[in-house]
């Protein structure tokens, strides 16, 4: 296996609010290898965005705080790095693109200005050189008339173009890791296809590792090598894309995949998971999915399950694996009845 | 032969663009430009398209929440476009709408009871007790509990709020409900709950839906027939299996192939469209799609293709089938 570029070890990010402490990220561990695309999937409130913001030290504090855990970037722990150190890492080594390209670009500066700012912050180059590089980056991400667009303002561009600019900006310094937080959620499907295509080719050509945060299992299935499924602040399942989609082990992943309407299948009624995502609670005992789980039994409400290691580096947080039954047998008897 | 409950003929909605010191009209945006279709009783007609294609404007024009510029909207043989505001208000008892954003479409200062009782106060002659009873009944129908009536919208999750919106739409037993992106703000697991609820209600109360969405898989799941819109016009309309198995318009083909599929073994051959949707204030000449169409011919730049029945019940607006 290739070298690990980014690793999270038992990361805890909590928010301290008036109504108590909320463990939004509650013990997340994951690894990202060189040139790999790893997806973090989950519904709103699962902690996937907070995880990515924690890596970049972008959690507003207060109320947020990285309580414990390690963030290893090329084996160096950056979890308690100084702001000065983080400035060197951000953009240069780990870059990030956000969901809403309009709010993440400054409306008062030209596109060129914003890309040049990042380049000149990290490297000693003249304004002219930096601008030439900005134009080259814009061309690389497929923006027509790049030499004119570089002097235009964000409002003059469409949503898809803005997201391309964000990617150009993120890739300008050749980062090792690109964190993409719902990069295509605000875009139309035909534009989404263009952006995903672009990210895939950047990943292939430059060997950039991508951490892709999304709620769309379709996007995950097209883009990722491995997938981490999050629920209520914890990782509930991990495996390769094929394993997760074709043979999910955790009841939540199973339910999530079955509740998707499929374009290529005909079905009568959609499966749905009852209830809604539980908000992470401090000192919660029991499985967080138990109240919505059709397989739940007494133990699920009394103890908190660990992540069980399964074959082929897979992991799943469910007591069924401990009982030696596997979800499959349960599924065969319960779901289809 | 199914009976049409709604007929839309040549619907147009142009928005004026004003500019300059005196706010003179400097142009217009053709949000909906000559759209025609029928909706049969008891069916679910899906309308898909990307942002800016005019699908929501079409939905709102049918209810006259915005007044159409031109065209005929026949609801049960009555031309809605000619009705006075007062007549229209009475008719809205039979036509309701569910909005996309359950956070924005419920008044945060009203209790659920007040929210749902509003349409009953306007349209029905129920007294206070009967209204209470009806609200209780409605909440149960949409999968909430009677005691939820005294709570405020912020106390509910997104899915539950959308259920309140549905209860409000159902209050006066409408015949037609326009659903404008009802599930796009919801999480996947909640989305399927709401879709199942809407299907159940359709069957129980013999409702007719116009289901507007941008998510092709959702539209396919719930609809009987599907229309595809692009830049203010309908480009293809047929029953759902025909549309998804045998799309004829190049735009529909590209749109379908662009949807990411949650199946790593079955990645479709992708038609990736170049460029963006042109601005509806200066649409291209001829066929509005010719600027991005992989199969564009010379004629497409000059003459706008007619929306016509190419096969049985399969309507397409494309020169390829002339």
């Amino acid at each position: 296996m290739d070298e690990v570029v980014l690793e999270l070890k038992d990361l805890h990010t909590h928010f301290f609010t008036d109504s108590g402490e909320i463990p939004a990220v509650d013990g997340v561990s994951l690894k990202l290898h060189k040139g790999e695309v790893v997806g973090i999937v989950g519904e709103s409130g699962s902690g996937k965005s907070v995880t990515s913001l924690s890596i970049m030290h972008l959690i507003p504090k207060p109320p947020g705080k990285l309580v414990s855990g390690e963030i290893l970037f090329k084996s160096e722990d950056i979890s308690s790095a100084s702001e000065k150190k983080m400035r060197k890492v951000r953009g240069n080594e780990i870059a990030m693109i956000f969901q809403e390209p309009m709010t993440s670009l400054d409306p008062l500066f030209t596109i060129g200005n914003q890309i040049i700012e990042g380049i000149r912050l990290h490297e000693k180059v003249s304004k002219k050189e930096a601008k030439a590089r900005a134009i080259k980056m814009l061309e690389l991400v497929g923006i027509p008339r790049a030499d004119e667009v570089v002097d235009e303002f964000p409002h003059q561009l469409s949503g898809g173009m803005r997201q391309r600019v964000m990617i150009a900006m993120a890739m300008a310094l050749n980062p090792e890791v690109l964190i993409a937080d719902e990069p295509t959620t605000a875009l139309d499907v035909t534009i989404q296809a263009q952006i995903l295509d672009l990210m895939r080719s950047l990943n292939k050509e430059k060997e950039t590792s991508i951490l892709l945060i999304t709620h769309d299992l379709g996007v995950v299935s097209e883009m990722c090598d491995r997938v981490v499924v999050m629920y209520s602040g914890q990782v509930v399942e991990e495996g390769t894309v094929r394993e997760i989609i074709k043979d999910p082990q955790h009841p939540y992943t199973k339910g999530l995949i079955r509740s998707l309407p499929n374009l290529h299948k005909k079905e009568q009624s959609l499966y749905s998971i009852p209830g809604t995502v539980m908000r992470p609670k401090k000192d919660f005992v029991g499985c967080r999915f138990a109240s919505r789980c059709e397989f739940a039994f007494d133990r699920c409400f009394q103890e908190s399950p660990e992540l069980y290691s399964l074959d082929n580096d897979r992991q799943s947080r469910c007591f069924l694996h401990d009982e030696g039954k596997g979800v499959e047998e349960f599924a065969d008897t319960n779901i289809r009845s | 032969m199914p009976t049409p409950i709604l007929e839309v003929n040549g619907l147009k909605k142009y928005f004026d663009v004003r500019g300059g010191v005196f706010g003179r009209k400097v142009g217009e945006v053709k949000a909906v430009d000559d759209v025609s279709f029928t909706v049969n009783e008891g069916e679910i007609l899906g309308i898909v398209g990307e942002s800016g294609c005019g699908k929501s404007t079409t939905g709102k024009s049918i209810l006259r929440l915005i007044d159409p510029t031109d065209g005929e909207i026949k609801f049960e043989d009555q031309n809605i476009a000619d009705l006075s505001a007062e007549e229209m208000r009475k008719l809205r008892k039979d036509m309701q709408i569910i909005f996309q954003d359950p956070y924005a479409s419920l008044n945060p200062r009203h209790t659920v009871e007040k929210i749902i009782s509003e349409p009953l106060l306007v349209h029905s002659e129920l007294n206070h007790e009967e209204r209470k009873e009806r609200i209780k009944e409605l909440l149960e129908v949409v999968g909430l509990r009677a005691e939820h009536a005294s709570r405020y919208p912020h106390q509910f999750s997104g899915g539950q709020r959308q259920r309140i919106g549905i209860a409000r739409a159902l209050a006066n037993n409408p015949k037609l409900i326009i659903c404008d992106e009802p599930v796009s703000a919801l999480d996947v697991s909640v989305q399927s709950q709401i879709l199942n609820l809407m299907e159940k209600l359709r069957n129980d109360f013999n409702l007719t839906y116009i289901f507007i969405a941008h998510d092709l898989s959702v539209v396919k799941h719930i609809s009987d027939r599907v229309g595809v819109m692009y830049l203010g016009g309908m480009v293809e309309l047929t029953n759902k299996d025909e549309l998804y198995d045998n799309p004829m318009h190049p735009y529909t083909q590209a749109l379908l192939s662009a949807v990411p599929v949650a199946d790593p073994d079955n990645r479709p051959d992708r038609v990736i469209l170049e460029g963006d949707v042109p601005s509806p204030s200066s649409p291209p000449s001829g066929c509005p799609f010719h600027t991005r169409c992989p199969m564009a011919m010379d004629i497409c730049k000059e003459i706008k293709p007619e929306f016509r029945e190419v096969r049985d019940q399969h309507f397409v607006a494309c020169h390829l089938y002339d």
Side-chain angles (χ1 to χ4, degrees):
Chain A
M1 197 51 124
D2 287 331
E3 116 190 70
V4 178
V5 282
L6 184 70
E7 182 175 2
L8 303 184
K9 275 189 185 164
D10 198 26
L11 187 73
H12 288 262
T13 303
H14 295 191
F15 287 92
F16 298 86
T17 64
D18 292 343
S19 49
E21 189 177 339
I22 298 163
V25 174
D26 201 3
V28 168
S29 303
L30 61 88
K31 279 182 188 165
L32 181 64
H33 297 91
K34 178 138 188 79
E36 193 183 31
V37 185
V38 171
I40 302 185
V41 196
E43 298 179 272
S44 36
S46 62
K48 54 191 196 302
S49 287
V50 178
T51 305
S52 65
L53 292 171
S54 303
I55 299 172
M56 298 292 269
H57 286 217
L58 290 176
I59 296 288
K61 38 187 155 178
K65 191 171 177 238
L66 210 158
V67 178
S68 65
E70 289 174 49
I71 303 167
L72 298 170
F73 175 67
K74 292 193 185 166
S75 331
E76 188 192 347
D77 187 7
I78 55 166
S79 62
S80 50
S82 65
E83 185 56 28
K84 203 173 157 197
K85 162 84 183 154
M86 279 316 290
R87 272 171 173 263
K88 291 216 173 91
V89 173
R90 270 187 227 129
N92 204 13
E93 323 238 30
I94 309 177
M96 187 157 182
I97 41 181
F98 299 90
Q99 172 174 359
E100 186 42 73
M102 191 64 223
T103 50
S104 34
L105 289 170
D106 193 321
L108 296 178
F109 289 90
T110 63
I111 302 296
N113 256 325
Q114 304 189 42
I115 303 178
I116 292 165
E117 184 190 6
I119 297 176
R120 302 232 317 149
L121 210 63
H122 292 287
E123 285 175 32
K124 278 203 162 143
V125 289
S126 71
K127 274 192 186 155
K128 221 172 165 182
E129 272 172 73
K131 186 167 178 184
R133 229 162 94 190
I135 295 173
K136 223 178 93 204
M137 284 317 295
L138 291 174
E139 276 166 1
L140 187 77
V141 297
I143 287 184
R145 322 177 277 116
D147 50 333
E148 292 171 39
V149 170
V150 80
D151 291 320
E152 284 179 7
F153 288 89
H155 74 265
Q156 290 169 288
L157 304 178
S158 66
M161 294 268 270
R162 281 182 214 138
Q163 200 56 289
R164 280 167 195 268
V165 169
M166 286 298 295
I167 295 175
M169 204 186 282
M171 298 303 294
L173 289 150
N174 251 327
E176 299 257 347
V177 177
L178 178 67
I179 301 176
D181 190 355
E182 304 263 11
T184 57
T185 309
L187 307 175
D188 283 317
V189 271
T190 59
I191 310 296
Q192 166 170 287
Q194 293 171 358
I195 298 290
L196 293 181
D197 198 46
L198 170 67
M199 286 176 57
R200 216 177 290 130
S201 65
L202 288 173
N203 166 252
K204 291 260 146 53
E205 281 163 30
K206 308 212 162 192
E207 279 217 307
T208 314
S209 314
I210 300 180
L211 192 62
L212 179 71
I213 289 130
T214 179
H215 67 280
D216 188 331
L217 285 160
V219 171
V220 162
S221 136
E222 304 226 336
M223 293 290 296
C224 302
D225 303 312
R226 277 191 310 122
V227 185
V228 172
V229 183
M230 285 189 70
Y231 187 82
S232 191
Q234 294 181 318
V235 174
V236 293
E237 183 164 3
E238 189 187 336
T240 65
V241 161
R242 179 166 284 103
E243 286 166 345
I244 295 280
I245 300 219
K246 291 280 177 177
D247 180 29
Q249 291 297 317
H250 195 278
Y252 172 64
T253 321
K254 248 183 176 25
L256 203 59
I257 287 165
R258 290 180 64 213
S259 56
L260 279 180
N262 190 319
L263 208 52
H264 299 286
K265 263 189 234 146
K266 290 167 188 150
E267 60 231 307
Q268 278 308 303
S269 179
L270 274 180
Y271 175 79
S272 65
I273 309 175
T276 46
V277 183
M278 191 193 96
R279 281 183 56 182
K281 277 186 211 130
K282 182 109 172 102
D283 304 323
F284 180 80
V285 177
C287 171
R288 295 169 190 217
F289 186 60
S291 59
R292 301 173 77 190
C293 179
E294 56 187 316
F295 310 114
F297 50 102
D298 293 347
R299 194 176 166 196
C300 305
F301 297 96
Q302 291 151 4
E303 291 172 54
S304 305
E306 296 293 310
L307 265 178
Y308 289 92
S309 293
L310 312 174
D311 302 342
N312 309 328
D313 270 348
R314 292 193 66 178
Q315 292 187 304
S316 171
R317 192 184 291 274
C318 182
F319 282 130
L320 289 176
H321 304 300
D322 201 28
E323 303 282 307
K325 282 177 189 140
V327 185
E328 272 318 310
E329 290 158 51
F330 263 81
D332 284 339
T333 49
N334 285 14
I335 297 179
R336 306 222 168 91
S337 59
Chain B
M1 192 62 190
T3 40
I5 186 168
L6 181 82
E7 270 179 73
V8 176
N9 284 320
L11 180 72
K12 289 181 187 165
K13 176 66 199 176
Y14 297 169
F15 292 100
D16 292 347
V17 179
R18 292 178 189 280
V21 184
F22 302 106
R24 278 203 204 98
K25 185 173 160 186
V26 291
E28 53 190 10
V29 174
K30 296 181 176 178
V32 178
D33 197 10
D34 204 359
V35 165
S36 307
F37 58 89
T38 58
V39 188
N40 297 323
E41 200 174 341
E43 85 166 341
I44 302 181
L45 175 76
I47 298 183
V48 279
E50 299 181 275
S51 43
C53 72
K55 53 191 193 301
S56 291
T57 309
T58 304
K60 286 179 184 155
S61 303
I62 292 169
L63 278 182
R64 289 224 359 231
L65 293 177
I66 42 184
D67 272 317
T69 309
D70 193 16
E72 188 186 53
I73 304 162
K74 272 168 94 177
F75 179 72
E76 296 188 316
D77 295 324
Q78 206 174 1
N79 188 358
I80 297 179
D82 295 341
L83 293 182
S84 69
E86 178 58 24
E87 286 168 316
M88 193 59 220
R89 197 176 61 80
K90 287 196 182 123
L91 199 68
R92 287 213 185 94
K93 182 172 183 284
D94 292 333
M95 304 166 85
Q96 285 291 324
I97 185 163
I98 302 169
F99 294 98
Q100 168 173 8
D101 190 347
Y103 299 85
S105 56
L106 302 174
N107 189 333
R109 296 177 59 169
H110 286 179
T111 60
V112 169
E113 179 168 351
K114 183 141 172 60
I115 289 168
I116 303 178
S117 68
E118 203 78 354
L120 294 169
L121 281 168
V122 175
H123 292 294
S124 76
E125 269 148 31
L126 301 179
N127 64 32
H128 186 70
E129 286 308 308
E130 289 166 333
R131 270 207 306 276
K132 273 217 148 126
E133 198 50 40
R134 174 79 182 138
I135 290 163
K136 208 173 123 196
E137 191 185 308
L138 283 165
L139 284 174
E140 273 157 17
V141 163
V142 298
L144 295 169
R145 291 195 305 275
E147 66 257 34
H148 286 145
S150 56
R151 297 196 191 161
Y152 288 89
H154 75 263
Q155 293 170 293
F156 294 91
S157 68
Q160 286 174 317
R161 280 183 234 194
Q162 202 55 293
R163 288 176 196 266
I164 299 169
I166 293 172
R168 176 174 61 182
L170 284 176
N172 284 306
N173 292 318
K175 292 174 183 149
L176 174 73
I177 299 183
I178 292 172
C179 317
D180 191 357
E181 302 262 17
V183 295
S184 53
L186 307 175
D187 276 320
V188 183
S189 71
V190 181
Q191 170 179 305
S192 56
Q193 293 171 6
I194 299 294
L195 287 176
N196 284 342
L197 170 68
M198 291 180 66
E199 272 191 305
K200 180 176 172 293
L201 294 175
R202 192 268 295 247
N203 297 337
D204 291 356
F205 300 106
N206 192 28
L207 298 168
T208 307
Y209 293 145
I210 296 180
F211 193 97
I212 298 166
H214 69 280
D215 186 327
L216 287 136
S217 338
V218 167
V219 169
K220 180 184 181 193
H221 178 79
I222 200 161
S223 310
D224 298 313
R225 286 191 306 144
V226 178
V228 181
M229 286 186 74
Y230 184 79
L231 210 62
M234 191 76 89
V235 295
E236 188 160 0
L237 174 70
T238 185
N239 70 57
K240 75 164 169 200
D241 291 334
E242 171 83 3
L243 185 89
Y244 285 82
D245 295 341
N246 187 13
M248 291 177 82
H249 198 285
Y251 176 63
T252 315
Q253 292 166 0
L255 199 62
L256 285 174
S257 86
V259 180
V261 184
D263 184 352
D265 295 331
N266 181 14
R267 293 183 181 172
D269 289 334
R270 186 136 294 166
V271 188
I272 294 186
L273 290 178
E274 302 275 316
D276 286 314
V277 184
S279 157
S281 59
S282 54
S285 61
C287 172
F289 186 55
H290 85 253
T291 52
R292 299 172 80 199
C293 182
M295 289 176 235
M297 304 173 287
D298 288 341
I299 184 176
C300 305
K301 289 178 191 140
E302 282 146 31
I303 301 165
K304 188 171 180 176
E306 209 184 313
F307 187 63
R308 58 193 190 87
E309 195 167 358
V310 174
R311 273 192 225 158
D312 184 36
Q313 291 298 312
H314 195 148
F315 296 83
V316 185
C318 182
H319 287 304
L320 285 175
Y321 306 101
D322 284 349

